[in-house]
Amino acid sequence: MRAPILANLRGYVVLSLRGGKVEEFLNEAVQQGLRLWDVRLTAPGQGKLKLDLADFFRLRPILKRTGCRIHVERRCGLPFTLKRVMRRKLFLLGAAGFLVGLFLLTSLVWRVDVTGNEKLSKQTVLAAAREEGIFKYQWTFRLKGLDELSRGLLGRLPDAAWIGVDRKGTTIRIHVVETTRPEDKPLVSPRHLVAKKNALVTKIFAEKGKPVVAPNTYVRKGQVLVSGELGAGEHRKWVPATGKVFGLVWYVSAIEVPMEQIHRTYTGEAAEKSYLIIGNRALQITGYGKGNYEHSVTAGIPRMLSFRGFTLPFGWLKDTVRESEEKVNSLSAAEAEAVGLKRARDDLLLQAGSGARIAGEKVLSREVKDGKLRLKVHYEVEEEITSQLALVEAP
Amino acid sequence: MGRLKRRIHTFAASVLDVPEDVIHDLPRITMIGNRQLYIENHRGVINFSPNELQLALTSGQIRIEGSELVIRAILPEEVFIEGTIQDIHYVPR
């Protein structure tokens, strides 16, 4: 217990004491309940002590009785400081002004954020917000309630499904959830569907327009399949014809298949070689005497040193030399034919596009010459044969 | 205090195992090294100088000798002394 609690807050005085009966003074003061502490005697009959400010005026009768004299040496604590401060009016005014300024500045809107908008532009949202009273340098106490604001904004922005307004200190955040609209259909002009190849029509699916060919008719390239012209005379109407027409198309494929096929495979043996790269030269560091294979594949990526985006002309290359061997695979004529036909079918289906299938296959000729099998194959492919013909001039 | 009362008090203290200072108004003296001294149940300052402090007790006196003695805090029944304490004389009446 050094000093009473909050002594600084209540204020206290440092007294020097002279003469009289110090002991009696102490006893009486304590009996009266005066708060005093740090009592020390410097010489007989002379001392110093600290006394609570509130008890100072109760001291006088005790002093009179005991014959002690006091002298106030120092005044400490908040009451005295306050008194000193009160003398400096301008300083006080400044302090008050600071507090008022702080309050005013923190009750301004300093930022308006818009999040979640993709199709709506930020300007649109901000303009709507301005009309609702949300803008930069607006007083926060002039703002309406957040619920009311979001409702008002939603009324002003019909493209938003939901709007949330959220205030964090001096920042207003407007969160927008946009409505999703169905995508507009691509605009199409009136057109015919015509054949893009000579073909035998097998199936017609006309969504719009009038089919003008029947299945099992032979059509030539450019012939109209589905007409975009509906009705006749006065009631004629032009529509963009849509639909799908499938037809059989004939192809003749010439295929060559080597009878001996060379496969290159790795044996599993490998060796590593490291190089130091200087400029466009490489100096081999490790791996001498290794990797001397009859057939080999070498692979490696040079790693160049770089510094802040500049590539330096120094680097390191690690090559892996893998031993390989060549295997010769001899095919019989039948095997070679199977390989060739499969390849031809795959090629055709790839060209014909989706929905195509091979309807017929007929080998026209086969011939083995110079170690190769030469095939001529006739294919019937059922595929989509439509292409569009825009009607530029609708009569 | 009457003799009977005192005897009852002594008996109670020994039976109930209560510290004597609670029963008999004796001072409780706590000393921390030779620097701090805390005395409860004193009855006033008799003599105070930098080298000596004499306190009245309910019965008797206590005299503390030392140097640079300072009364850090003083309350009606407690006193807290700091300084270099060399001697404590307990003078029962």
Side-chain angles (χ1 to χ4, degrees), chain A residues 2 23 27 37-39 41, chain B residues 45 47-48 71-72 76 82:
Chain A
R2 286 283 145 96
E23 292 82 11
N27 286 337
W37 68 96
D38 277 6
V39 185
L41 294 186
Chain B
V45 185
N47 186 19
F48 179 42
I71 299 177
R72 270 280 173 224
E82 243 182 40

Side-chain angles (χ1 to χ4, degrees), chain A residues 1-3 22-24 26-27 30-31 33-44 50, chain B residues 36 38 42-50 69-78 80 82:
Chain A
M1 195 172 81
R2 286 283 145 96
V22 181
E23 292 82 11
E24 244 174 73
L26 274 178
N27 286 337
V30 168
Q31 286 303 320
L34 267 63
R35 264 184 287 257
L36 45 89
W37 68 96
D38 277 6
V39 185
R40 67 181 77 221
L41 294 186
T42 42
K50 290 176 185 170
Chain B
Q36 292 184 338
Y38 192 73
H42 77 92
R43 290 286 172 268
V45 185
I46 297 167
N47 186 19
F48 179 42
S49 76
L69 294 180
V70 176
I71 299 177
R72 270 280 173 224
I74 183 160
L75 290 169
E77 298 216 320
E78 294 168 29
F80 180 40
E82 243 182 40

